[in-house]
Amino acid sequence: MRPGSFLGQHILNSPLIRLLLQRLGISFIVLIGVSMLIFVIARVIPGDPARIALGPNAAPEQVASLRAAMHLDDPIVVQYGFFVLDVTRGDLGKSLYTNRPVTVDIVQFLPATLELVFAAGIIMVGLGLPLGILAARYHGRWPDNAVRIFALLTVSAPSFVWAVILMLLFAFYLPLFPIAGRISDIYEIDRVTGFMTIDTLIAGNLVAFQDAFSHLVLPAVALSLSGIGQAARLTRANMVETYEKPFIEMAQAYGFFPSRIARIYVFKPSLIPSLTIIGLDFAAMLGNAFLVEAVFAWPGLSRYGVAVILRKDLNAIMGTVLVIAITFLIVNILVDLLIAFLNPRIRYSTRVDA
Amino acid sequence: MIRTLRIVGQNPLSLLGLILVALVVLAAALAPWISPFPSHNGAVVDFVYANQGPTARNWMGTDLVGRDILSRILYAYQISLFLSLVVLAIAPPVGTLVGLLAGYMGGWVETILMRIVDVFLSIPPLVLAIAMMGVLEPTLTNAMLAVTVMWWPWYARLVYSLARSEREEGYVLAAEVIGASTAHITFREILPNCLPAIITKMTLDMGFVIIIASSLSFLGLGVQPPTPDLGSMVAEGARYLPDSWWLTVFPGLAILVAVFGFNLLGDGLRDLLGVDE
């Protein structure tokens, strides 16, 4: 036996690596399906894509040559083949709206959306889980009811309504936060990561960081509100279930402090189902970013997405949706790995059953 | 039915939900008779009263061309409820059928169907609807189509996971042993046991479809003006914050009230029918 193969065998036996490979495989199949779905949606468009691209005044010869260049005269399966080939080469075509390659646009606008969604995700976990723990500990008493009503209220309005209400209250009536944008015009920040809060720190400009941070607060809170409610509800429901398990009764019989029982013995096993939902909420936030970015004039991918949709800019629409789907798939793989890591039954197992 | 209503009535929150839903449904149904200015449902202008805050004449103020906001909200409820009902008349049966087949039959049927469902679920729901509305003309019918296409996979996944656990139950085995057909087992044995979860989800989804539909029209991708829609009313008014706050706040609260009602009701139903979250 060669030593290298032993090492390879060992890595493959690690449940986390095997889970990762399995998830990557499934995601790849799903991604092919997503590309087909996007392609079908794009081809449903009424009218000639070449004509739309060139505008109503173009000569018929121009339209014909663009049709040939876009492979529009080929059978639909061949067209799909060319689409996939281009995508694998990192070529998403040219945007009619900005007149630049779609990939360049996406690289410019995606970080702003990711920054917003990640900030909202942190708020969601940071507030949602503690609220859920609180409700479960005081099950049936007033904190439980208060959290329940709060959770139901937050999921009962679209995020653009929360965005408008927050803006009205905390930007206009109480001018605590800026009204729109990512950073005040007076700051010139070199773009490194595209995350404004990180780039200002890299530039060492703490005043600009504070400015970027305060721009981020209201949009991120508006985006996270319904997620907070959902995370709190689920954590509560799972914890209430865990509280009825015999090992909790034992911990109580040993006289452990209720707060310790809540935090360690009940919360940890209840966290796993909550995490799955948090992954789904992340997907919802990628969609709701379209609404929040519109209200706060946040220069992200979603605002770009709406602009290109209103102009029927086909390449840009397909590219935007594809990138959002890939982002979502990556986040879901990360959530699955986190769940596997947190779950001792998977972490210490030699087989992957999940 | 009456017994169900009585039990719902014992929980104050569920009762509140029931009242809110009843109010919204009545408001929509009676809009032509109870709205102060029924003609403001369309392209009407009344510049004398344009852009005024709440007054005794216009309880929720008027929009930029003088139309009564309250009247327009009542008519917008009609559109929202109609759209939700259509979506929930199509998406749940389709999803349930797919989920039942995949969950009970297993094998390659399960693999193919659930991979298709995975594809739909791997694009954030609103993004899928936005992308579809991006290539379709923004009309009410197309909005219904887009929301239905994004909605059925959620029922497929719900029913699939239920059907898969029901498949292992003794009563299914018993039916198989006496030679019942696949159709009989899926529809007469397994489906009835999935119904409480499906009904609960449909009640909650009445509200969530309203949210998605208003989000589409907020982005200008749904019902077009002058037809009143809660989402487009908020979008139009958002440009005139903070001065003309009534343009956005009242339509926004109208969404909140309707969806909150359906959520409270669905939540009560969930406890009543013993459905897990």
Side-chain angles (χ1 to χ4, degrees):
Chain A
M1 186 172 38
R2 286 176 296 131
S5 73
F6 176 74
L7 189 67
Q9 204 65 31
H10 183 70
I11 288 175
L12 273 182
N13 274 336
S14 153
L16 284 184
I17 299 293
R18 285 173 60 147
L19 184 73
L20 176 66
L21 291 176
Q22 190 192 5
R23 295 296 301 160
L24 282 176
I26 293 176
S27 299
F28 182 71
I29 297 171
V30 168
L31 201 56
I32 292 174
V34 169
S35 72
M36 285 182 187
L37 182 63
I38 292 171
F39 185 77
V40 167
I41 291 176
R43 284 295 176 266
V44 169
I45 194 168
D48 182 349
R51 167 64 69 185
I52 294 171
L54 292 170
N57 299 323
E61 301 82 50
Q62 277 180 296
V63 176
S65 71
L66 187 65
R67 277 190 71 86
M70 289 169 80
H71 312 292
L72 288 173
D73 299 318
D74 293 325
I76 192 94
V77 181
V78 178
Q79 289 186 37
Y80 174 72
F82 277 114
F83 169 66
V84 170
L85 204 65
D86 283 346
V87 168
T88 51
R89 284 191 304 222
D91 178 6
L92 292 171
K94 207 170 171 187
S95 160
L96 307 176
Y97 167 50
T98 57
N99 212 13
R100 298 189 304 186
V102 172
T103 43
V104 173
D105 286 343
I106 287 173
V107 168
Q108 183 184 340
F109 294 115
L110 182 63
T113 296
L114 287 183
E115 183 176 35
L116 181 59
V117 171
F118 282 139
I122 292 169
I123 298 173
M124 173 175 86
V125 174
L127 286 180
L129 298 188
L131 280 178
I133 298 174
L134 188 76
R137 236 191 98 183
Y138 297 97
H139 182 200
R141 286 186 279 168
W142 71 265
D144 186 19
N145 287 327
V147 169
R148 183 177 182 176
I149 293 173
F150 170 79
L152 279 172
L153 264 180
T154 52
V155 296
S156 292
S159 44
F160 65 85
V161 169
W162 294 129
V164 165
I165 290 176
L166 287 175
M167 183 194 243
L168 206 55
L169 291 179
F170 301 110
F172 285 120
Y173 294 151
L174 277 177
L176 297 173
F177 297 102
I179 293 159
R182 286 181 87 188
I183 192 162
S184 304
D185 292 337
I186 48 170
Y187 301 106
E188 285 281 336
I189 301 298
D190 288 333
R191 189 186 157 102
V192 186
T193 59
F195 282 55
M196 198 60 89
T197 44
I198 295 177
D199 284 354
T200 48
L201 284 181
I202 291 174
N205 191 339
L206 283 180
V207 188
F209 169 76
Q210 205 182 8
D211 185 71
F213 186 80
S214 69
H215 275 86
L216 184 58
V217 172
L218 286 186
V221 171
L223 190 56
S224 67
L225 267 180
S226 64
I228 295 176
Q230 242 148 7
R233 277 177 67 102
L234 259 126
T235 308
R236 174 200 171 272
N238 295 327
M239 282 182 67
V240 166
E241 210 170 285
T242 314
Y243 261 116
E244 286 160 7
K245 297 267 168 71
F247 64 84
I248 299 303
E249 213 171 310
M250 196 177 88
Q252 284 163 339
Y254 270 114
F256 290 167
F257 286 114
S259 59
R260 182 185 159 87
I261 294 177
R263 262 186 299 116
I264 299 177
Y265 299 102
V266 187
F267 175 64
K268 267 192 169 173
S270 312
L271 182 64
I272 291 165
S274 300
L275 275 177
T276 316
I277 301 300
I278 287 171
L280 284 175
D281 278 340
F282 193 87
M285 290 200 295
L286 278 172
N288 287 335
F290 276 80
L291 309 168
V292 173
E293 289 186 6
V295 174
F296 287 101
W298 187 263
L301 188 64
S302 311
R303 231 163 62 106
Y304 172 76
V306 174
V308 295
I309 278 172
L310 293 177
R311 284 169 183 76
K312 301 250 184 266
D313 185 347
L314 220 50
N315 287 339
I317 296 174
M318 291 163 85
T320 307
V321 177
L322 195 62
V323 166
I324 290 177
I326 291 172
T327 311
F328 176 47
L329 282 175
I330 293 173
V331 169
N332 262 342
I333 293 176
L334 291 179
V335 169
D336 277 352
L337 286 179
L338 187 63
I339 290 171
F341 180 72
L342 289 174
N343 189 344
R345 270 172 298 199
I346 299 180
R347 189 173 50 207
Y348 294 126
S349 78
T350 43
R351 273 203 319 255
V352 180
D353 302 318
Chain B
M1 185 68 196
I2 292 172
R3 220 188 96 238
T4 314
L5 281 179
R6 195 174 297 151
I7 299 174
V8 166
Q10 279 167 358
N11 180 336
L13 283 180
S14 310
L15 185 64
L16 176 64
L18 193 63
I19 293 172
L20 288 179
V21 168
L23 281 178
V24 169
V25 171
L26 276 179
L30 301 177
W33 297 280
I34 59 171
S35 65
F37 301 91
S39 65
H40 290 191
N41 167 34
V44 179
V45 291
D46 188 358
F47 285 116
V48 178
Y49 294 99
N51 200 16
Q52 290 183 344
T55 58
R57 178 182 181 272
N58 307 98
W59 294 356
M60 296 186 180
T62 57
D63 66 8
L64 298 171
V65 294
R67 291 177 300 196
D68 182 45
I69 302 265
L70 174 60
S71 303
R72 288 181 68 72
I73 286 178
L74 295 180
Y75 278 97
Y77 270 153
Q78 282 189 341
I79 306 243
S80 297
L81 290 180
F82 177 60
L83 188 143
S84 289
L85 284 175
V86 171
V87 169
L88 291 180
I90 304 171
V94 173
T96 302
L97 187 65
V98 171
L100 276 177
L101 287 178
Y104 176 66
M105 301 195 38
W108 61 269
V109 177
E110 174 184 351
T111 310
I112 293 179
L113 288 179
M114 292 320 286
R115 281 296 162 270
I116 294 175
V117 169
D118 280 347
V119 167
F120 277 88
L121 293 180
S122 65
I123 303 179
L126 187 57
V127 176
L128 182 58
I130 288 173
M132 288 191 60
M133 289 314 287
V135 296
L136 296 169
E137 289 304 310
T139 62
L140 182 61
T141 318
N142 283 341
M144 286 175 187
L145 179 74
V147 178
T148 307
V149 167
M150 62 158 270
W151 221 276
W152 70 267
W154 297 91
Y155 283 88
R157 211 178 60 161
L158 171 73
V159 174
Y160 165 74
S161 62
L162 291 171
R164 235 171 67 130
S165 60
E166 294 293 330
R167 184 171 67 182
E168 313 297 332
E169 295 287 327
Y171 70 90
V172 174
L173 185 64
E176 281 169 347
V177 166
I178 60 169
S181 67
T182 303
H184 177 89
I185 293 174
T186 44
F187 292 108
R188 304 298 290 274
E189 304 284 347
I190 295 180
L191 179 59
N193 286 301
C194 303
L195 276 181
I198 297 174
I199 292 171
T200 304
K201 184 165 171 55
M202 284 174 72
T203 312
L204 292 167
D205 278 354
M206 272 301 286
F208 293 132
V209 174
I210 293 176
I211 286 187
I212 292 288
S214 66
S215 302
L216 285 179
S217 54
F218 173 79
L219 295 172
L221 300 171
V223 185
Q224 295 296 302
T227 309
D229 183 282
L230 299 172
S232 52
M233 286 167 82
V234 174
E236 276 168 42
R239 273 172 279 164
Y240 303 95
L241 286 175
D243 299 327
S244 306
W245 55 269
W246 55 90
L247 296 176
T248 47
V249 168
F250 288 123
L253 288 180
I255 301 175
L256 180 67
V257 166
V259 181
F260 191 47
F262 282 112
N263 275 340
L264 287 174
L265 192 62
D267 214 42
L269 221 51
R270 168 158 40 208
D271 293 345
L272 192 68
L273 299 174
V275 179
D276 289 339
E277 291 204 30

